[in-house]
Structures are given as C-alpha cells and as structure tokens.
Amino acid sequence: MCAPAVSTRPSETAEAPPEFVASLAPPPPGPAVAFVLRLGHALHRHGTPAHRLEGLMMKVSERLGLEARFFSTPTSIFASFGPPEDLRTSLIRVEPGDMDLERLILLDTLADDVIHGRLTPAVGARRVEDILARPPRYGPALQLLCWMLAGASAALLFGGGWKEMGVAGVSSLAIGALDLLTRKQPTTARVLEPVAAVLSAAFAGLAAHFFGPLHGEVATLAGLIVLLPGLTLTIAVNEVATRNLISGTSRLTHAALIFLQLGFGAALGSRVATVLPPVPMPTPALPAVLPPGVAIAALVVAGFAIAVLFRARPRDWGWIALAGAAAFMGARLGALLLGPQLGAFAGALLLGIGSNALARLRNRPAVTTVVPGLMLLVPGSVGFRSLASLLERDVVAGVDTAFSMLMVAVALAAGLLSANAIMPSRKVL
C-alpha cells in the first residue's frame, strides 16, 4: 500500500512563522523616512557631532510619528525604523566635509518647517538636496584672504612679532591655495596636512635665513592654525562625555593622527634650513602679555576670518566676533583665577551661556557662535608643541605638554556641558 503523497506546498490555513509574517509587514512611511535620512546625512557632512545629530534626528522622527533609533560615527550613520521585532535598518556611509554654518542653519530651519507642518516630508526631502546643491557663498579669493588673515592674527595672538605675522600669513595663504586645488581630489587631499606642515616649516626656515632671526615655532604654528585639529579634539572629548564612546574615540584617533602628520611634516620642512649657510637663530622669549590694541585687533580679524572659513552668513559676523572675543577674554581671566590649564573652562562656560541665550532670542542654532568661538580656545597649538618636544627627544616636556592639551580639551567640554545645564538651548543644534 502506497503512502499518501506529502505536499510540499504550505497549507493555506496553516499559521505562518513569525519571521515570515514580519517580512511581509508594510514598510514605514517612505517620505518621512527619506526626509529623516537625508537630513541626517546633510547634517553629518557639515560637522554636526554625534550627540547633536542623533538628538535632532530623534526629535524629527518623534514629531513625524516614526519609531526610530540612530547611531552615528564620524564616517557612518545607522538608522533603524519600526519596533524592535520588525526593524528596517539603513546604513549611510558619510565622508565628513567642511563646517558650513549657513547650511546648518538652513537645515535646522527646514526641520522646524517639517515638524510644524509647514512643509510635507516629501517636499522637505527635496529641499535638503536643494540646500546641499547651493553654491558656496564666498569665492576662492575671499577664502584665500581669510586663510592669510587667520595665520597672521594667530601669530600675534601666540606672541609673535611682525616678522612672524608676515611669515605665518604667507604660509597660511599657500596652504589655503593648496587646499582649494586638492579639495576635489580625495587621493591628494588626504596628504594635505603633512605637505602643509612641510611648507609652513620651510617658509619659517627660509625667512629666518634671508630676513633675519625670528621665532620659527610661532611662525610655523600660526601658519598651520586652520589645520590644527583642536576643534576635532574638543568635539571628541565632548562626545565621550555625552556617552557617545565609539564616535568620540574615533575622533580622538583622527585628531592624534593629524597631530602626527603635522609633526612629521614640520620636522621634514625644518630640514630645509640645514642645506643653507648657517646663520644665528636666537629664540627670544615670547612676551607674556600683548598690547591691548594689538590683541583686540587680532581678535577682530581672527573672528572675521573664521566666520568666512566656516561659511557663516554676513549677518552673523558681528555675533561671531563678539562670541570669540568674549570666549578669549573669559579664558584669559579664567587663567588668572584657575590657572592656565583650567582657564579654558571659564571661556567655554561664558561662550556656551552667551550662545544659548542668543539662540533663544534669535531662534537660531547655538552652533552659529559656539563653533567659531571655540576656535580661539581649542588646544591645537598645545598639542603641536607637545609633538615638537617629542620629536626633539624631550620626552618629559612632550608628555607634560600633551597632558596640558588633554586638560584644556576636558575643560572646554566641561564648560560647554555646564553652560547647557545652566542655560539650556531650545534648539538641538
């Protein structure tokens, strides 16, 4: 007797396994998800830290009725939509771009419009692409001028004289031109830091040979001021403090690598002077305090240059200059009360409180003034000096300076976190 045939087709009345049912579940709403993903991608490209990026994406998702989870690293975004048992996950690979304050403001305004129903998510997704496609506000000529002004003003703030200011300005101008030429070529852009350090150190050595002695370290350091990863280091410490450990440690590693590249390039460029006939190169002590007029002028010029390099709107230039001056003066006053390493805490606290209060009044992101103001406080110069000491085999001085750099970065992060507790901002950014 033959056994009955067993059908391999599933019974129409049989209950399907849970995983099969989950795979047939309808996907989350397309336009809302598309807007959140494009918004997050755009914000990430223009320098938004992990804790602020995840916070804004979560806020937008909640207002659009999406159940979502986000995880951001310096080079990627993981976004999951739906309940835990039925997730739809997207991976966005991101190449970090330059800080663009105007686009960040436009993206923040766009997010508000979608949240409050003034725009649909579908229209908002298209607007994100329109914002990213906007041409740069400032042309190459103005950007190169601001590279030069940033280097020259940094030389004065570091205690240099007119020679150091001129050499740093020329070095920074050459580095800015190199940056503009290699910006669209990823293979050459990745070697910008060591090549820039070679140029800055070589210019300082050649200037000392042909125009008389000068403080080579100040001229080299000021010429590299735009490329120093002090802001990256500060953001990394802030991310670690807000429990974004993977993103924070990744940025710390990136900042350390940039310091190593700059140190290698500076060591290589300083050898240019060795092939020339020797000349006496005394290194006089740096003046402890700059004349008030020179310091104020340097702060104003530095604020203008930073605003242009960070692509801020002209209407925000005054606020940026004011925030930078207040942060710098607060750090100097804090150094007198708390010591040179912890003085940055007072500057960051004053900058954060003022920026959050201004953001409440203007209904604009606090990042508009926080990021440019931090550029005058970040410990990039300290880290470069630490590496220079290590390259000269002065291990004790190098380690001591590196510890000072970390203390300044921690002080800045603590100041910003304290400011957010004292004066919370209505904006996530």
Side-chain angles (χ1 to χ4, degrees), residues 130-169:
D130 294 339
I131 291 174
L132 295 179
R134 290 168 60 96
R137 175 177 284 274
Y138 307 112
L142 183 57
Q143 292 184 46
L144 290 176
L145 174 63
C146 289
W147 274 83
M148 183 177 65
L149 292 177
S153 59
L156 289 178
L157 293 176
F158 290 156
W162 296 110
K163 287 184 180 180
E164 288 81 4
M165 184 183 71
V167 173

Side-chain angles (χ1 to χ4, degrees), residues 5-101:
V6 178
S7 174
T8 58
R9 297 178 59 185
S11 172
E12 295 180 358
T13 60
E15 183 178 359
E19 60 272 12
F20 184 73
V21 175
S23 66
L24 298 178
V33 171
F35 173 70
V36 173
L37 293 178
R38 292 183 184 181
L39 178 67
H41 187 194
L43 291 171
H44 194 294
R45 281 180 54 184
H46 296 298
T48 306
H51 57 287
R52 294 189 180 274
L53 176 64
E54 294 175 5
L56 183 58
M57 293 180 72
M58 182 62 70
K59 179 181 178 181
V60 174
S61 298
E62 290 174 352
R63 297 296 181 88
L64 294 179
L66 298 175
E67 184 177 357
R69 297 160 186 84
F70 303 101
F71 179 73
S72 173
T73 73
T75 57
S76 62
I77 303 174
F78 292 88
S80 296
F81 299 91
E85 67 276 5
D86 183 23
L87 289 178
R88 300 293 188 273
T89 302
S90 299
L91 168 62
I92 304 175
R93 188 69 168 85
V94 184
E95 185 70 25
D98 297 329
M99 179 69 68
D100 194 317
L101 295 177

